[in-house]
Amino acid sequence: MTKHSILCIVKVLPVFILPQIFIPTKSLRHEGSMFDTPKTTYHKTVFQSIMETFESLVIAFILAFVFRAFVVEAFVIPTGSMADTLRGAHFSLTCPKCSYPYNFGFDPGKYGYAKGSIPPHPLNVIPDRLRPGSIPTCPLCGEPFEQNDSRWVSNGDRILVLKYIYQFIEPARWDVVVFKNPEDPREHFIKRLIGKPNETIEVIDGDVYIDNQIQQKPRHVQKSLWLKAFDNDHQPEDSRLERTWRQPFQPPTGATTWRIDQSKHRFEFDGAEQFQTLAFNQSRLSRMVNFCAYNGPAPRNNFIASDLKLSFVLTCRGDKGQVAVQLGKYDRVYSGIINFDGTCTIFNGPPGSEMNPDKIIKQVKFPPLIKDRPVAVSFAVVDHTWQITLGNEELIEIGPSDPSQWGYSRGRYPLPSVALSGRGEAFTLEHITLHRDTHYTNAGGGTNGRGTEGNPFALEKDQFFTMGDNSPLSHDSRFWSGHGLGNGKTYRAGAVPRDYLIGKAFFVYWPSGYRPTPSIRIPFIPNVGKMRFIY
């Protein structure tokens, strides 16, 4: 059974279960036997019908309580420490200039409300008390949200948690887990599990190292951790924004082989004998690699996320040609080169007319591209791997684990680079997007945390290490100040004891819903498109 099939079953299961629970059952009887006694007509009284319905309801509630206590329990996400994987209370906004939808975390204290409260009425998104560094800003075009615009605060995601699953299976790295707050066991936390018993954790430049080996995220986890930094389909149409927003991909002065069609949101390559490059503006890139719209425009840490992915839809106009994606990391350039004959090459360096075979990292031959037929393409450098996707085909090569072999040195964080190149016959690129990986930060409030660069954290038996996906705002194993308390024991600071694991979060069953009109307080229309499995 595919994941899509399971998702469909989960979404429609209540439609089939609820009628079976709440519709009164009929009494069974034997028919057609030669020994049957003469049939008598039996009429239920109204009271008997009511009692049967009541009995069914009682049984349903008992089963629900048993199910909740021992199998699955529902939780609501209270804060944004796991954003954008899971959202706490937030404003759902749409950029008025480029129409890009994004979420902005609701901090009750900044709006004059008590911790954990949701106001029963729309709020001005930009109150006077909100500092300029906290004003919601579009992550794509950089346009601040309009002043004096009142919006409802959306509730946090409501999720289902498999309780006691870790009594039968061992927790896996990258699981999203619910556990008791070690500092206050009356509270429940939700984070991503990073370290397991008897391992040593160290976060280096946003990447997770276990026992000095970098940890690559599984594909389904990585997909949920990509953050969009640029989308060519969302561009401001207001000419007044030209001063603050310009197309970041720019051809060299005087170049004519690349044409940027702003009206159709696509790039046209007219063909050339040698590689011609379309580079991404680095000053624009510097504002993207540490920006998270959920937190507001002011960077919480001066980190630079250098794990990037560039994606697009390629339509070739001939049989002979090449398109190359160049991603720079630590001042070194890596190229993902797609030949129209289906050959995909990961190359150490920018593409050239004569590529040195010694610099070919990996090369694979896939089925050739078909003229005028679009195909999805992406190239990523993430977690010390190089990854090319061409339609349903995928090429992944794992690089060295030691960051120094990639050119990294502590305290030196050069900006990454992004560029496109083309050679040979013409082609068209559409739906161009740039993503950055979730970057786990080292410091919080000026304090270097446990398990961060230069401060590795060694776990002991039955101890786990967790972090939030919204790393700059997450209070987690890196920064807990006190020892864990409970069960008559004192637990080690920074570790989540096995005793405190509640279960694995696996499904968002009620994301923030819709209101038919703004005047209706309760958003009772389900947002089915946002229901999803949690990875």
Side-chain angles (χ1 to χ4, degrees):
M1 183 179 292
T2 66
K3 181 177 72 175
H4 177 74
S5 302
I6 296 173
L7 180 60
C8 292
I9 291 172
V10 170
K11 291 181 179 180
V12 303
L13 199 56
V15 177
F16 297 101
I17 292 178
L18 291 178
Q20 302 302 319
I21 294 177
F22 295 111
I23 295 177
T25 57
K26 294 182 179 180
S27 299
L28 296 177
R29 62 183 183 182
H30 298 284
E31 294 184 1
S33 171
M34 62 183 294
F35 302 106
D36 279 352
T37 57
K39 300 176 183 177
T40 58
T41 304
Y42 175 69
H43 297 284
K44 293 182 182 179
T45 66
V46 174
F47 177 77
Q48 288 173 321
S49 297
I50 293 174
M51 286 304 298
E52 285 191 4
T53 302
F54 180 74
E55 288 174 3
S56 298
L57 287 172
V58 170
I59 293 171
F61 279 115
I62 291 173
L63 292 175
F65 281 120
V66 171
F67 192 72
R68 176 186 181 276
F70 297 103
V71 184
V72 172
E73 185 173 354
F75 288 84
V76 61
I77 304 300
T79 69
S81 68
M82 282 293 292
D84 275 330
T85 306
L86 297 170
R87 304 173 185 91
H90 62 278
F91 292 102
S92 296
L93 306 177
T94 300
C95 177
K97 302 302 181 183
C98 71
S99 302
Y100 182 71
Y102 62 98
N103 300 299
F104 177 66
F106 171 68
D107 185 339
K110 293 180 180 179
Y111 290 83
Y113 287 85
K115 179 182 177 181
S117 60
I118 301 291
H121 52 76
L123 285 183
N124 183 358
V125 180
I126 316 292
D128 294 337
R129 67 171 64 224
L130 208 62
R131 294 179 299 176
S134 299
I135 295 175
T137 301
C138 176
L140 300 190
C141 71
E143 177 70 8
F145 195 72
E146 293 179 341
Q147 303 282 341
N148 300 320
D149 193 338
S150 294
R151 296 292 179 94
W152 285 96
V153 176
S154 298
N155 289 307
D157 289 335
R158 297 181 183 273
I159 65 170
L160 296 177
V161 175
L162 288 171
K163 300 180 68 176
Y164 305 115
I165 188 174
Y166 295 133
Q167 301 292 329
F168 307 100
I169 63 173
E170 188 68 11
R173 196 178 335 277
W174 310 113
D175 279 357
V176 177
V177 297
V178 174
F179 56 94
K180 297 176 183 178
N181 174 6
E183 296 180 307
D184 183 0
R186 295 169 298 179
E187 291 183 333
H188 292 160
F189 277 179
I190 181 166
K191 309 288 180 185
R192 193 174 293 278
L193 193 147
I194 301 298
K196 300 190 294 182
N198 302 314
E199 295 180 339
T200 298
I201 297 93
E202 187 173 11
V203 175
I204 301 176
D205 194 31
D207 294 326
V208 174
Y209 285 76
I210 301 295
D211 300 332
N212 296 318
Q213 296 296 312
I214 193 169
Q215 301 299 301
Q216 283 89 26
K217 296 181 281 292
R219 180 190 299 179
H220 55 278
V221 174
Q222 184 63 69
K223 184 179 179 180
S224 68
L225 293 179
W226 284 118
L227 298 175
K228 188 176 289 186
F230 168 75
D231 188 338
N232 196 58
D233 291 345
H234 289 274
Q235 299 180 16
E237 299 180 357
D238 191 336
S239 60
R240 292 173 297 177
L241 279 178
E242 184 65 22
R243 292 176 298 173
T244 59
W245 189 93
R246 295 185 62 188
Q247 168 62 252
F249 279 102
Q250 293 293 331
T253 304
T256 59
T257 53
W258 281 99
R259 290 183 294 110
I260 298 176
D261 190 335
Q262 295 287 84
S263 62
K264 296 182 179 179
H265 298 173
R266 65 188 185 189
F267 300 166
E268 299 279 2
F269 180 73
D270 293 332
E273 293 184 2
Q274 304 297 328
F275 275 107
Q276 301 296 317
T277 300
L278 188 67
F280 198 99
N281 184 283
Q282 272 212 312
S283 64
R284 177 78 185 281
L285 195 61
S286 67
R287 298 195 297 271
M288 294 178 175
V289 291
N290 65 354
F291 182 83
C292 180
Y294 195 94
N295 302 338
R300 303 300 176 110
N301 297 87
N302 294 322
F303 66 85
I304 295 176
S306 57
D307 284 357
L308 304 176
K309 179 179 73 169
L310 189 68
S311 308
F312 50 82
V313 174
L314 165 66
T315 305
C316 57
R317 306 302 181 188
D319 300 322
K320 297 180 180 180
Q322 293 173 310
V323 57
V325 179
Q326 303 170 50
L327 298 178
K329 182 180 177 71
Y330 306 142
D331 289 333
R332 298 183 182 180
V333 175
Y334 304 99
S335 299
I337 304 170
I338 294 89
N339 198 306
F340 293 178
D341 68 2
T343 302
C344 291
T345 306
I346 300 172
F347 188 73
N348 187 356
S353 55
E354 297 294 334
M355 291 188 294
N356 185 346
D358 294 336
K359 290 191 174 184
I360 294 177
I361 298 171
K362 188 78 171 181
Q363 189 173 71
V364 173
K365 182 72 163 59
F366 294 132
L369 278 64
I370 299 175
K371 181 180 177 181
D372 296 328
R373 178 178 293 182
V375 61
V377 176
S378 71
F379 177 55
V381 178
V382 58
D383 295 339
H384 292 194
T385 67
W386 302 275
Q387 303 178 6
I388 293 178
T389 59
L390 179 64
N392 295 323
E393 307 290 349
E394 190 171 48
L395 168 61
I396 299 177
E397 181 68 8
I398 299 176
S401 185
D402 186 350
S404 65
Q405 293 184 265
W406 287 75
Y408 173 75
S409 61
R410 186 176 178 183
R412 179 177 172 271
Y413 307 101
L415 274 175
S417 61
V418 179
L420 287 162
S421 296
R423 179 171 71 170
E425 295 187 85
F427 58 80
T428 300
L429 304 183
E430 299 175 286
H431 309 302
I432 303 102
T433 59
L434 177 67
H435 289 81
R436 72 165 179 88
D437 188 21
T438 293
H439 187 99
Y440 293 109
T441 56
N442 287 333
T447 302
N448 288 332
R450 302 180 193 89
T452 59
E453 189 168 4
N455 188 25
F457 188 70
L459 293 168
E460 300 171 358
K461 180 182 178 181
D462 292 331
Q463 294 180 351
F464 298 88
F465 192 91
T466 63
M467 292 194 294
D469 289 349
N470 189 358
S471 190
L473 288 186
S474 177
H475 184 59
D476 50 41
S477 290
R478 296 168 298 168
F479 307 120
W480 293 329
S481 57
H483 290 274
L485 302 172
N487 298 335
K489 303 177 184 177
T490 299
Y491 295 102
R492 184 183 178 199
V496 177
R498 187 183 295 271
D499 296 349
Y500 277 17
L501 292 178
I502 293 175
K504 177 181 178 180
F506 77 98
F507 191 73
V508 178
Y509 74 92
W510 190 272
S512 53
Y514 295 113
R515 295 175 175 83
T517 64
S519 61
I520 295 179
R521 178 179 174 181
I522 300 176
F524 62 86
I525 300 178
N527 188 350
V528 178
K530 293 293 185 180
M531 295 179 183
R532 62 196 183 277
F533 286 100
I534 299 170
Y535 297 116

